[in-house]
């Protein structure tokens, strides 16, 4: 239970200390000034003409809350349950690869922040540090492993086994990135973190992967990753095979169609992440929040739904939770925090998102995450959603 009256959540940001960017636009601006165009463009941009990047934001702007008052909102319960564990907030860290691009401590700084805040951390396959190093950096954090299937699928199974052994508690299979999206900003900047070796963490120490390399040169390693990380054959048979290979809960990340959500349930999947990869994969696809209501209807509470893509403030999280998500995952905002101030920056970004969410739940007239399902929302055309 969070007591809203324990000091004002906004005013604690107005102090004599060094100021920190308070919103996504300010964060993005500060990072643009701090890091080089290549990595900045890689993180910021969306695929193609960035329609989906815009769709993500537009989707949140379409909804407005009609608040209720005089309901005693002094105690707001923000905790949630996922796979048998309780977390104090409905916020997660989305899997983001190659964190070494923006900070030397990379994923280690992020997982330490996740541990401190008790928010689940999803580690990417293409991380700068190995999953064992991440586990060691934050032994008590809840860690899930995001799997990119490998063309040589024994590499994928090897990574899953390593994740299990290191104490990771779920596998998140990303289904929307069987090849890279058409990312024009990276061509403009002639920038590929994959080619620069930032994705080495989990591959370099994988015995199945290294056994396939002709030698231990940097070029062989980069080639090996490129040959394996893109895997356009991925299909439901692979999902069923993965289920046989692990006892951990499996989530599918990148679901946008209600039929795929239904198939996930039919195939015994334990959770889904409604996501368009932050607009970085197929341009022109639906905003993730726009995809949520139809998926929530099909899923009907059978498995948890996490939403990401464009959750840049507490109010966005509130809308997603109100429209059927059980939790939301954050991508770019925490990466920007990492770029600015390492672990501390990540914590500041996530804490501000959380504090704004708390204020928003209370000011909307609700006192819990579940209670958000009862608040009134209208769409921009004035139609009442509920
Ligand atoms: C720099 C960057 C790298 C990413 N790497 C991965 C990855 O390795 N695996 C994955 O499943 N998603 C990856 N994503 C997508 C995120 O998990 C998430 O879906 C997306 O960032 C959410 O949108 P947001 O950035 O608008 O919050 C990446 C996103 C960014 C910005
Ligand atoms: O950049 C990304 O969004 C991403 O997910 C990715 C996918 C494959 C290789 C490297 C990064």
């Amino acid at each position: 239970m969070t007591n809203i009256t324990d000091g004002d959540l906004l005013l604690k940001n107005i102090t004599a200390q060094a100021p920190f960017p308070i919103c996504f636009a300010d964060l993005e601006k500060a990072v643009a000034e701090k890091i080089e165009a290549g990595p900045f463009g890689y993180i910021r941009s969306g695929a193609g003409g960035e329609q989906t990047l815009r769709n993500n934001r537009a989707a949140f702007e379409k909804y407005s809350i009609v608040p209720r008052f005089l309901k005693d909102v002094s105690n707001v319960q923000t905790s949630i349950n996922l796979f048998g564990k309780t977390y104090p907030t409905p916020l997660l860290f989305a899997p983001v690869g190659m964190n070494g691009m923006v900070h030397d401590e990379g994923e280690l700084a992020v997982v330490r922040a996740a541990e401190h805040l008790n928010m689940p951390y999803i580690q990417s396959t293409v991380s700068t540090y190995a999953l064992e190093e991440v586990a060691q950096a934050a032994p008590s954090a809840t860690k899930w492993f995001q799997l990119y299937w490998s063309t040589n699928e024994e590499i994928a199974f090897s990574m899953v086994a390593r994740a299990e052994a290191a104490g990771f508690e779920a596998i998140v299979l990303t289904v929307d990135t069987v090849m890279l999206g058409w990312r024009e900003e990276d061509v403009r900047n002639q920038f590929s973190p994959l080619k620069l070796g930032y994705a080495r963490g989990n591959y370099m120490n994988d015995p199945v992967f290294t056994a396939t390399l002709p030698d231990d040169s940097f070029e062989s390693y980069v080639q090996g990753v490129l040959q394996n990380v893109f895997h356009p054959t991925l299909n439901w048979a692979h999902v069923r095979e993965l289920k046989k290979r692990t006892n951990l809960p499996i989530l599918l990340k990148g679901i946008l169609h209600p039929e795929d959500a239904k198939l996930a349930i039919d195939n015994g999947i334990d959770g889904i992440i409604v996501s368009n990869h932050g607009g970085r994969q197929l341009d022109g696809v639906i905003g993730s929040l726009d995809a949520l209501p139809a998926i929530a209807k099909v899923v009907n509470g059978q498995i948890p739904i996490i939403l990401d893509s464009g959750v840049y403030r507490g109010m966005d999280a509130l809308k997603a939770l109100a429209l059927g998500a059980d939790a939301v995952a954050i991508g770019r905002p925490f990466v920007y925090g990492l770029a600015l101030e390492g672990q501390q920056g990540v914590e500041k970004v996530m804490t501000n998102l959380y504090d704004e969410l708390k204020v928003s739940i209370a000011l909307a007239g609700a006192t819990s995450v579940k209670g958000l399902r009862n608040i009134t929302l209208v769409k921009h055309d004035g139609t009442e959603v509920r």
Side-chain angles (χ1 to χ4, degrees):
M1 197 76 85
T2 303
N3 196 332
I4 284 279
T5 51
D6 285 348
D8 190 90
L9 293 167
L10 178 74
L11 294 185
K12 75 181 190 191
N13 285 290
I14 303 174
T15 68
Q17 291 160 14
F20 186 80
I22 189 66
C23 69
F24 185 76
D26 295 358
L27 270 172
E28 195 165 73
K29 186 162 171 281
V31 176
E33 285 164 8
K34 180 166 179 173
I35 70 173
E36 287 179 18
F40 176 70
Y42 185 84
I43 296 159
R44 181 210 63 78
S45 65
E50 301 191 338
Q51 183 199 330
T52 299
L53 200 57
R54 292 189 295 277
N55 284 353
N56 283 339
R57 295 302 309 145
F60 286 101
E61 301 270 334
K62 271 182 215 161
Y63 291 96
S64 304
I65 307 296
V66 189
R68 300 295 305 273
F69 300 115
L70 300 162
K71 289 166 75 82
D72 184 356
V73 292
S74 56
N75 283 304
V76 172
Q77 174 67 262
T78 58
S79 66
I80 56 153
N81 286 299
L82 281 176
F83 308 118
K85 281 174 80 169
T86 303
Y87 302 96
T89 88
L91 306 180
L92 282 73
F93 286 82
V96 171
M98 303 171 291
N99 290 177
M101 222 174 10
V102 298
H103 196 282
D104 284 347
E105 289 166 26
E107 292 84 13
L108 306 183
V110 183
V111 76
R112 286 183 187 122
E115 182 177 51
H116 192 209
L117 298 167
N118 198 1
M119 297 173 183
Y121 173 77
I122 311 179
Q123 182 177 354
S124 166
T125 288
V126 290
S127 50
T128 304
Y129 286 90
L131 62 92
E132 290 84 0
E133 295 172 302
V134 166
Q136 205 177 15
S140 71
T142 297
K143 296 168 290 285
W144 300 352
F145 182 66
Q146 178 267 323
L147 180 66
Y148 276 135
W149 200 258
S150 266
T151 302
N152 173 352
E153 61 187 37
E154 290 308 323
I155 297 170
F157 298 137
S158 171
M159 287 189 186
V160 168
R162 287 169 51 204
E164 274 191 43
F168 284 67
E169 295 172 39
I171 302 296
V172 175
L173 177 68
T174 298
V175 298
D176 60 13
T177 306
V178 299
M179 60 193 81
L180 274 187
W182 190 255
R183 301 180 184 181
E184 297 177 1
E185 187 73 356
D186 299 338
V187 177
R188 237 172 256 127
N189 290 328
Q190 290 291 293
F191 184 78
S192 165
L194 276 175
K195 290 190 177 180
L196 293 172
Y198 286 112
R200 62 156 45 85
N202 289 319
Y203 290 94
M204 288 299 267
N205 68 342
D206 192 285
V208 180
F209 173 73
T210 50
T212 65
L213 302 183
D215 54 58
D216 62 3
S217 67
F218 179 79
E219 291 72 28
S220 295
Y221 142 74
V222 169
Q223 269 315 108
V225 173
L226 290 176
Q227 274 161 21
N228 276 289
V229 74
F230 306 121
H231 48 275
T233 57
L234 191 70
N235 63 65
W236 287 102
H238 294 117
V239 172
R240 290 189 284 273
E241 183 60 26
L242 177 63
K243 238 186 102 63
K244 286 190 205 142
R245 299 281 191 132
T246 180
N247 292 319
L248 295 177
I250 300 174
L251 297 91
L252 297 186
K253 173 170 181 279
I255 298 295
L256 291 169
H257 202 296
E259 271 306 307
D260 283 338
K262 188 174 174 303
L263 281 172
I265 293 171
D266 293 347
N267 280 283
I269 289 301
D270 304 280
I272 56 173
I273 305 187
V274 174
S275 166
N276 54 34
H277 213 103
R280 304 164 65 79
Q281 281 304 105
L282 177 60
D283 191 34
V285 308
I286 186 170
S288 67
L289 190 77
D290 282 331
L292 179 64
I295 290 177
K297 200 168 164 201
V298 166
V299 169
N300 195 23
Q302 295 174 80
I303 54 173
I305 301 175
I306 297 163
L307 175 131
D308 78 23
S309 300
V311 180
Y312 293 159
R313 51 169 57 260
M315 193 56 179
D316 300 334
L318 183 153
K319 289 174 184 173
L321 297 165
L323 290 169
D326 298 290
V328 296
I330 308 300
R332 292 181 184 86
F334 87 73
V335 185
Y336 290 151
L338 176 67
L340 291 179
E341 292 187 12
Q343 177 185 345
Q344 253 208 357
V346 175
E347 291 185 16
K348 286 181 187 172
V349 166
M350 297 301 273
T351 301
N352 273 333
L353 261 158
Y354 174 53
D355 285 347
E356 190 202 331
L357 172 62
K358 264 189 297 196
V359 170
S360 303
I361 294 174
L363 290 179
T367 51
S368 70
V369 170
K370 279 272 178 294
L372 289 174
R373 299 277 168 87
N374 300 321
I375 65 169
T376 303
L377 288 118
V378 290
K379 254 190 146 170
H380 64 7
D381 57 6
T383 48
E384 192 162 318
V385 176
R386 206 185 29 240

